[in-house]
Amino acid sequence: MAEAQRRREGEEWEEQGGAEETEAPKEEAPKEAPKEAPKEAPKEELKEAQKEAQKEAQKEAPKEEAQKEAPKEELKEAPKEELKEAPKEEAQKEAQKEAQKEAPKEELKEELKEAPKEELKEAPKEELKEAQTEAPQTPTRPLLATRSTSSADPDDDSPNMIVYRKIEDIVTRIQDETEGVPIRTVKSFMTKIPSVVTGEECEGTDIVQWLMKNLSMDDPAEAMHIGSLIAAQGYFFPISDHVLCLKDDGTFYRFQAPYFWPSNCWEPENTDYAIYLCKRTMQNKTRLELADYEAENLARLQRAFARKWEFIYMQAEAQVKIDRKKDKTERKILDSQERAFWDVHRPVPGCVNTTEMDIRKCRRMKNPHRVKKSVYGLAEEGTQSHSPVHTPSHHSRKGTREDVEKEILFLNTQLDRHCMKMSKVAESLISYTEQYMEYDPFMTSPEPSNPWTSDDPTFWDLEASKEPSQQRVKKWAFSLEEALKDPAGHELFLKFLESEFSSENLRFWLAVQDLKRVPQQEVAQRAQDIWAEFLAEGAPSSINLDSHSYERASHNLKDPGRYCYEDAQDHIYKLMKSDSYTRFLRSNVYQDLLMARKKPETEQGRRTSLEKFTRSVGKSLTGKRLTGLMQSS
Amino acid sequence: MAAEKAEMDKLKKECDALRTQIEAARKAVNDGSMSASAGGVAGLGRIQLKLRKNLKGHLAKIYAMHWSADSRQMVSASQDGKLLIWDTFTGNKLVAVPLKSAWVMSVAFAPSGNLVASGGLDNICTVYNIKAASPKTLRELDAHTGYLSCCRFLSDTEILTASGDTTCCLWDLETGKQKTVFTNHIGDCMSLALSPDMNTFISGACDSLAKLWDLREGACKQTFSGHTSDINAIAFFQNGHAIITGSDDCSCKMYDLRSDQEVITYQDPSLNAGVTSVALSNSGRLIFAGYDDFNCHIWDSLKGEKIGVLSGHDNRVSCTGVPNDGMGVCTGSWDSFLKLWN
């Protein structure tokens, strides 16, 4: 398992295409693509690099699965100068964009299938995206615009953004100097907990009180709930706990820097996380000691990025250097905010990861240009850049003349289609729901009881027994469809018809239904059998078909498929509906069965007949009574 | 060249003209809103359901669940790489099917109860025989070029699949080959549902359209628009004439097949989370819709009002289902639990 894990993460790292590849397969770059112009990463070079990476990977990976671990892109050595925390130069981003465009697609498609291997309990999100990065269609990778460092775009009305805007409004108000909570610098046990411009903090109770007052809540539990939800998104956090929730006590909370707000669409990679954990181990501070789960994560990442660990280490060192330059108090605050950021994106085991996305949607992100890539300004873009855009390729199916003509045909059919009036539609829906009210356990309590409510499976036992309940028998009168749907129903119907020596229609209908379900290899034979039994000259159970259906059937029989008797079946169905079905409902066999349960449960029988009566007279009576029933259940 | 272009323009104009006509025709039959018509129907008041069962067993996000036709067994799929078949009444796990690929997105129970199918990011729909001594892979249906988002059995011999490659497909399980490919969507297909008479099916996709397909003809018969974002869930109203959709635009809609248009929208300004799944009670009066906000909200299908909520999950509700006998509703969530309510 660990092996597979490591392999997969190794793959993933490969796919991200390690940027500052000091051990880059330089020898595989025969065509000297100038380093300053990484835009023109030649295809051959990429392919070579991939082959090399593949070889390397295969050395590690045991045979089991044939893996094509070609990294998606291989970037040239980016200049190694200062790594800023803030996003890097445009040029590099451009370069990556271009480089990715060249990446060969076929291999990616293969990878897609291979990539998602066994599952890990804590699969970080990008692994999911790894598994589903490429659009199989011809992608023109759209340009990635600049990242925005500001918060929610007021025009963005995706659900998440709407919520972020609301939260940010609240959070800004909480921190307001006049209207907000009191912010302080608190002398704690060993050190002063600073609260300067970048980091304001207050006690949990203060936040709860503020929420109650300003958001008109009476119940502190409600305020804590909302506060916890806001904290879970990462907008404020307890300064000495990884678990993001709001408590109504003296716990100290600090507010998150707008830079780290979720509305910036952060999608930090595992490399960033690795750098973060690594740098924390470098700084000899108790407050920066790793928690158990973090130590485990670090160990796991070390195994995954074994070959690139030197690079990560260097990055971490660089970060530490930068951090050291900052003011001490500022540093404390920034550290805590950074930690809170990671608490959101790599939550403590047991906490909900609020950044999780449905893997089906990962591929297509609404605002790809706004997705933040690396927290630590790493040059490599990883999967972000070539993943997520809503590939317009789907839409850009060339509108050929044929397509338009097809569309015209479709539209004409649509226009010609008889449209039912809305009022009629409403009427039919209303009457349907009313008719079936008593068959809806949510509306009417089933008799003797709902098994889940009473823990008594008697209802199911009764249903399974030979005798259908009166309620069930009643349903057969609703429509031919209902009678046929219930095996007991069509059995009785068949019995009735046999007594009249007119069962061939129903038997034909049932046979054709059966034809649709048999294994493919039996279809031809079955179709022939049906013909012989029901349709041929002098057939034993000859049915009465109109000439059109007869011709269609006989024509279809030349190449018999499951649906060769569709027309015939439709015709027979209509016949039954207008003729034998109505007779069946009036028949003794049916009426007897309908009244059969009347004897032991006369009360119910009476009620049922009464219901039938009221239904045909007025709907409102039924409604009132049923509402009463519901309230009591 | 110019002549061709002129012709294309003429054809496109014809299309537009037809669309306008259709629009007008639809408006003409729109002689009253559903909720207005339902004004006379007795209200249901607030629906409060109780949690009857909490099924624990999965270790990771549950992505899909499906009831067996016997209304007692149920299969669920989780990204812990397992399918679990439950006896919901006792809460026992009857069968555990280990999956080759843990990235499962869909699961289905065959009406016979003999088979289950699942699929996901592997693009493959795998069918298992669960009546064997230990679950045996019967078929691996491999032809889709995108993830498998939904699958439904017609019988033990045929299965329908919906895929992220924008197509739906009817397979023959004997041969393991595709019988019909339904192409028309321009976005990932996310969900499908069979009509009660099994002659047609509906699909919802990321192109925000719902489509009705004829199984026999293999063609798209009707298209329904109105949503402004991905349709994640779709279901037939029991009468077979109306359909319910759930979308990322935070609303559900009912469309009627005979009037070829939207009948009613179920939305609420306080609901800002996408709909992940929908299910109907047996009369069709109640719609259970699972949302990203960790809840399953209950709608009065006729009046268009939100009349209840099922709260209890600690993460988004990813799947919802009502069994054939309608005794309750099951919600599955990313919190790895399945809950039964009524």
Side-chain angles (χ1 to χ4, degrees):
Chain A
M1 185 65 166
E3 177 76 288
Q5 213 166 319
R6 186 195 334 147
R7 211 186 317 127
R8 194 152 62 94
E9 273 153 350
E11 269 174 74
E12 164 206 330
W13 205 98
E14 291 283 29
E15 285 156 6
Q16 286 174 14
E20 343 271 333
E21 268 265 1
T22 38
E23 308 94 52
K26 289 201 185 88
E27 58 276 34
E28 264 67 33
K31 318 256 167 70
E32 217 51 28
K35 290 184 187 161
E36 312 83 66
K39 282 186 209 207
E40 277 96 68
K43 267 201 189 129
E44 303 95 285
E45 178 154 16
L46 282 172
K47 283 211 184 103
E48 299 282 7
Q50 283 165 5
K51 267 195 244 149
E52 169 64 7
Q54 229 168 328
K55 267 192 262 163
E56 262 194 292
Q58 260 139 31
K59 271 187 237 148
E60 269 199 335
K63 325 70 201 181
E64 302 171 48
E65 293 127 47
Q67 301 180 22
K68 294 168 192 138
E69 296 179 31
K72 295 201 166 54
E73 64 282 340
E74 192 68 52
L75 300 172
K76 301 269 93 25
E77 258 182 84
K80 270 198 236 178
E81 69 264 10
E82 282 163 54
L83 302 165
K84 309 175 201 147
E85 282 177 8
K88 291 207 101 169
E89 297 89 18
E90 274 313 280
Q92 274 188 332
K93 274 183 268 172
E94 282 295 306
Q96 289 135 28
K97 268 184 285 180
E98 297 304 318
Q100 277 119 41
K101 283 193 187 158
E102 316 287 37
K105 324 277 185 296
E106 303 77 42
E107 270 139 283
L108 302 179
K109 252 195 271 186
E110 291 299 331
E111 261 171 292
L112 254 201
K113 293 210 184 163
E114 307 281 53
K117 306 262 188 317
E118 317 83 43
E119 168 53 316
L120 317 168
K121 289 182 200 172
E122 320 157 330
K125 208 157 31 105
E126 57 274 5
E127 279 172 31
L128 299 175
K129 284 202 286 282
E130 240 65 86
Q132 183 65 338
T133 42
E134 185 52 78
Q137 288 72 19
T138 39
T140 19
R141 308 212 195 270
L143 293 179
L144 302 161
T146 25
R147 293 183 229 165
S148 135
T149 47
S150 64
S151 53
D153 173 2
D155 291 328
D156 187 343
D157 61 356
S158 64
N160 280 9
M161 285 304 163
I162 295 175
V163 178
Y164 293 149
R165 273 203 294 279
K166 287 187 185 177
I167 297 178
E168 284 163 13
D169 179 59
I170 293 174
V171 161
T172 312
R173 281 165 58 200
I174 296 184
Q175 296 174 77
D176 182 71
E177 279 170 10
T178 38
E179 304 289 308
V181 289
I183 292 142
R184 52 193 104 173
T185 305
V186 179
K187 266 208 174 83
S188 87
F189 178 46
M190 293 264 280
T191 123
K192 235 179 5 166
I193 304 175
S195 69
V196 287
V197 178
T198 44
E200 296 159 315
E201 59 186 59
C202 49
E203 286 187 8
T205 15
D206 291 339
I207 301 183
V208 174
Q209 293 300 317
W210 188 96
L211 288 172
M212 281 175 66
K213 173 166 159 230
N214 288 275
L215 299 182
S216 319
M217 286 181 244
D218 295 319
D219 187 6
E222 202 183 331
M224 281 202 325
H225 179 65
I226 290 209
S228 293
L229 289 175
I230 296 178
Q233 296 292 329
Y235 281 93
F236 58 75
F237 54 92
I239 58 176
S240 30
D241 194 356
H242 283 289
V243 179
L244 301 168
C245 68
L246 178 62
K247 295 203 187 102
D248 193 4
D249 57 18
T251 318
F252 286 113
Y253 290 82
R254 189 170 281 142
F255 290 86
Q256 184 58 283
Y259 176 67
F260 282 130
W261 281 357
S263 48
N264 290 325
C265 302
W266 282 102
E267 302 265 348
E269 305 289 349
N270 270 342
T271 32
D272 279 348
Y273 189 44
I275 292 169
Y276 168 67
L277 291 177
C278 195
K279 82 167 175 167
R280 269 183 48 191
T281 59
M282 291 174 181
Q283 299 160 293
N284 245 336
K285 296 201 171 74
T286 5
R287 67 180 168 90
L288 293 174
E289 245 170 41
L290 295 182
D292 285 342
Y293 78 94
E294 288 176 313
E296 275 173 37
N297 286 348
L298 180 58
R300 196 165 61 87
L301 289 165
Q302 270 176 314
R303 286 195 300 271
F305 296 148
R307 276 175 290 127
K308 312 296 171 189
W309 198 255
E310 215 180 289
F311 160 65
I312 290 183
Y313 194 84
M314 274 173 6
Q315 296 281 20
E317 278 184 323
Q319 288 296 315
V320 170
K321 239 194 265 170
I322 297 169
D323 290 350
R324 277 204 192 110
K325 293 187 189 148
K326 301 222 163 88
D327 170 67
K328 200 166 160 201
T329 32
E330 210 186 308
R331 190 62 247 155
K332 271 208 190 119
I333 291 165
L334 288 171
D335 279 353
S336 69
Q337 288 173 331
E338 193 185 14
R339 190 204 70 200
F341 172 81
W342 286 109
D343 285 342
V344 170
H345 292 271
R346 297 288 184 274
V348 186
C351 286
V352 173
N353 186 337
T354 53
T355 62
E356 277 175 333
M357 267 180 72
D358 188 332
I359 51 178
R360 294 169 292 191
K361 317 279 178 151
C362 273
R363 204 156 62 93
R364 309 158 44 247
M365 300 236 297
K366 287 225 154 80
N367 304 301
H369 57 284
R370 304 189 53 236
V371 170
K372 296 262 193 195
K373 281 43 156 199
S374 167
V375 186
Y376 304 110
L378 288 189
E380 84 267 30
E381 290 296 318
T383 49
Q384 278 334 92
S385 12
H386 57 67
S387 67
V389 195
H390 178 46
T391 46
S393 57
H394 285 310
H395 297 272
S396 68
R397 251 215 292 256
K398 286 273 163 68
T400 62
R401 193 213 162 89
E402 268 170 27
D403 286 339
V404 185
E405 280 173 349
K406 264 199 214 153
E407 172 120 32
I408 291 179
L409 213 65
F410 187 83
L411 290 171
N412 269 315
T413 323
Q414 197 179 3
L415 190 58
D416 289 340
R417 184 176 296 127
H418 169 67
C419 269
M420 192 180 273
K421 283 216 189 94
M422 194 57 78
S423 51
K424 278 203 115 41
V425 165
E427 211 182 283
S428 99
L429 285 169
I430 292 171
S431 61
Y432 184 93
T433 57
E434 295 210 339
Q435 188 179 42
Y436 282 82
M437 270 284 190
E438 71 172 285
Y439 295 92
D440 185 342
F442 284 103
M443 302 278 103
T444 319
S445 262
E447 312 251 341
S449 67
N450 185 323
W452 293 4
T453 318
S454 63
D455 253 348
D456 175 9
T458 312
F459 180 88
W460 285 326
D461 295 335
L462 289 174
E463 284 287 298
S465 73
K466 291 292 171 186
E467 320 271 307
S469 71
Q470 192 188 31
Q471 204 186 33
R472 207 166 128 194
V473 174
K474 195 165 67 133
K475 211 176 181 185
W476 303 342
F478 289 177
S479 66
L480 175 55
E481 198 186 322
E482 284 292 350
L484 293 175
K485 202 158 66 166
D486 189 338
H490 75 236
E491 232 179 83
L492 191 70
F493 191 15
L494 193 62
K495 204 164 118 185
F496 162 70
L497 290 175
E498 274 167 358
S499 73
E500 286 196 337
F501 303 103
S502 60
S503 63
E504 61 279 354
N505 282 349
L506 181 55
R507 281 189 292 119
F508 172 72
W509 190 90
L510 291 170
V512 175
Q513 281 300 92
D514 205 46
L515 179 63
K516 296 183 203 172
R517 307 280 162 259
V518 297
Q520 189 63 40
Q521 54 217 46
E522 293 180 31
V523 168
Q525 182 58 50
R526 270 309 175 90
Q528 292 292 352
D529 292 345
I530 290 176
W531 179 269
E533 175 74 17
F534 299 99
L535 290 158
E537 280 272 332
S541 311
S542 184
I543 58 172
N544 225 338
L545 274 189
D546 61 306
S547 55
H548 169 76
S549 310
Y550 190 88
E551 265 156 45
R552 287 299 295 272
S554 113
H555 177 260
N556 289 341
L557 206 59
K558 299 199 178 100
D559 180 20
R562 289 186 198 282
Y563 297 111
C564 57
Y565 291 115
E566 280 308 282
D567 292 306
Q569 197 188 30
D570 282 344
H571 179 84
I572 293 295
Y573 186 88
K574 290 195 185 92
L575 266 182
M576 289 196 291
K577 194 166 162 179
S578 60
D579 181 34
S580 37
Y581 175 61
T582 27
R583 280 187 292 119
F584 166 61
L585 293 180
R586 288 198 297 262
S587 72
N588 286 335
V589 276
Y590 178 73
Q591 288 295 326
D592 286 347
L593 196 57
L594 188 61
M595 302 300 168
R597 288 266 184 272
K598 197 175 181 187
K599 287 167 253 159
E601 295 153 44
T602 32
E603 218 277 310
Q604 192 197 14
R606 244 187 282 129
R607 203 193 322 142
T608 322
S609 328
L610 182 57
E611 277 178 354
K612 262 203 228 160
F613 174 68
T614 51
R615 191 167 288 113
S616 62
V617 169
K619 297 172 186 158
S620 53
L621 285 171
T622 324
K624 281 207 195 104
R625 197 165 359 101
L626 286 175
T627 317
L629 257 178
M630 249 189 37
Q631 278 164 1
S632 61
S633 62
Chain B
M1 195 57 174
E4 278 177 35
K5 184 166 186 312
E7 253 214 272
M8 276 296 270
D9 285 343
K10 195 169 80 123
L11 287 174
K12 288 204 176 126
K13 268 220 182 93
E14 198 179 333
C15 268
D16 290 337
L18 282 171
R19 285 207 190 92
T20 325
Q21 278 185 283
I22 290 172
E23 202 39 56
R26 297 295 170 263
K27 272 220 173 79
V29 295
N30 204 342
D31 62 343
S33 77
M34 175 75 220
S35 33
S37 306
V41 178
L44 296 175
R46 188 116 191 111
I47 302 260
Q48 268 160 340
L49 302 183
K50 290 210 174 74
L51 176 66
R52 303 293 175 187
K53 295 257 187 277
N54 191 19
L55 302 176
K56 305 186 196 187
H58 281 299
L59 302 170
K61 297 197 192 97
I62 292 173
Y63 253 84
M65 56 84 48
H66 194 213
W67 281 98
S68 167
D70 71 2
S71 301
R72 192 156 154 172
Q73 285 185 23
M74 182 244 292
V75 62
S76 59
S78 160
Q79 304 219 316
D80 62 5
K82 290 261 188 323
L83 297 184
L84 287 180
I85 296 168
W86 309 79
D87 173 344
T88 55
F89 186 63
T90 56
N92 290 339
K93 301 182 240 321
L94 302 172
V95 186
V97 183
L99 300 172
K100 255 194 195 166
S101 162
W103 305 107
V104 62
M105 295 168 173
S106 171
V107 76
F109 225 127
S112 64
N114 298 330
L115 310 171
V116 294
S118 74
L121 276 186
D122 56 356
N123 301 0
I124 301 173
C125 179
T126 314
V127 179
Y128 305 88
N129 177 354
I130 51 159
K131 293 295 188 198
S134 74
K136 198 163 158 270
T137 302
L138 188 72
R139 280 271 177 270
E140 281 182 348
L141 308 172
D142 187 359
H144 278 301
T145 52
Y147 58 81
L148 202 88
S149 52
C150 192
C151 50
R152 286 291 179 259
F153 283 94
L154 274 83
S155 63
D156 278 7
T157 54
E158 286 181 310
I159 191 171
L160 258 178
T161 56
S163 167
D165 66 9
T166 76
T167 66
C168 295
C169 184
L170 177 68
W171 305 76
D172 174 58
L173 285 175
E174 297 292 305
T175 57
K177 295 268 188 302
Q178 289 177 306
K179 286 181 67 179
T180 323
V181 182
F182 303 88
T183 322
N184 199 293
H185 275 299
I186 51 176
D188 305 7
C189 291
M190 294 295 285
S191 178
L192 64 86
L194 274 167
S195 66
D197 66 5
M198 307 269 243
N199 286 333
T200 59
F201 74 96
I202 44 176
S203 63
C206 292
D207 55 10
S208 69
L209 303 173
K211 288 184 187 283
L212 174 76
W213 310 82
D214 189 309
L215 276 165
R216 301 163 288 187
E217 291 175 37
C220 168
K221 305 299 283 180
Q222 282 174 269
T223 302
F224 302 93
S225 58
H227 278 296
T228 51
S229 185
D230 306 355
I231 294 178
N232 295 323
I234 198 163
F236 258 102
F237 195 88
Q238 276 78 356
N239 67 2
H241 296 309
I243 67 176
I244 312 283
T245 53
S247 164
D248 268 349
D249 66 10
C250 314
S251 74
C252 297
K253 285 180 193 286
M254 183 198 284
Y255 296 92
D256 188 88
L257 303 181
R258 295 164 303 181
S259 64
D260 198 35
Q261 58 188 299
E262 180 185 319
V263 173
I264 193 170
T265 300
Y266 308 97
Q267 67 187 12
D268 189 289
S270 68
L271 283 179
N272 284 333
V275 181
T276 60
S277 47
V278 290
L280 286 115
S281 73
N282 273 9
S283 62
R285 186 68 191 269
L286 299 179
I287 298 174
F288 300 99
Y291 287 75
D292 285 345
D293 69 355
F294 305 4
N295 295 323
C296 178
H297 294 275
I298 310 175
W299 294 88
D300 179 331
S301 65
L302 299 179
K303 292 184 176 275
E305 298 165 348
K306 194 161 85 75
I307 54 176
V309 63
L310 305 175
S311 292
H313 283 293
D314 294 324
N315 207 326
R316 77 167 66 163
V317 174
S318 54
C319 47
T320 315
V322 172
N324 284 353
D325 67 7
M327 289 295 166
V329 59
C330 177
T331 52
S333 164
W334 279 11
D335 67 5
S336 80
F337 300 122
L338 294 147
K339 292 183 195 284
L340 270 58
W341 320 71
N342 69 7

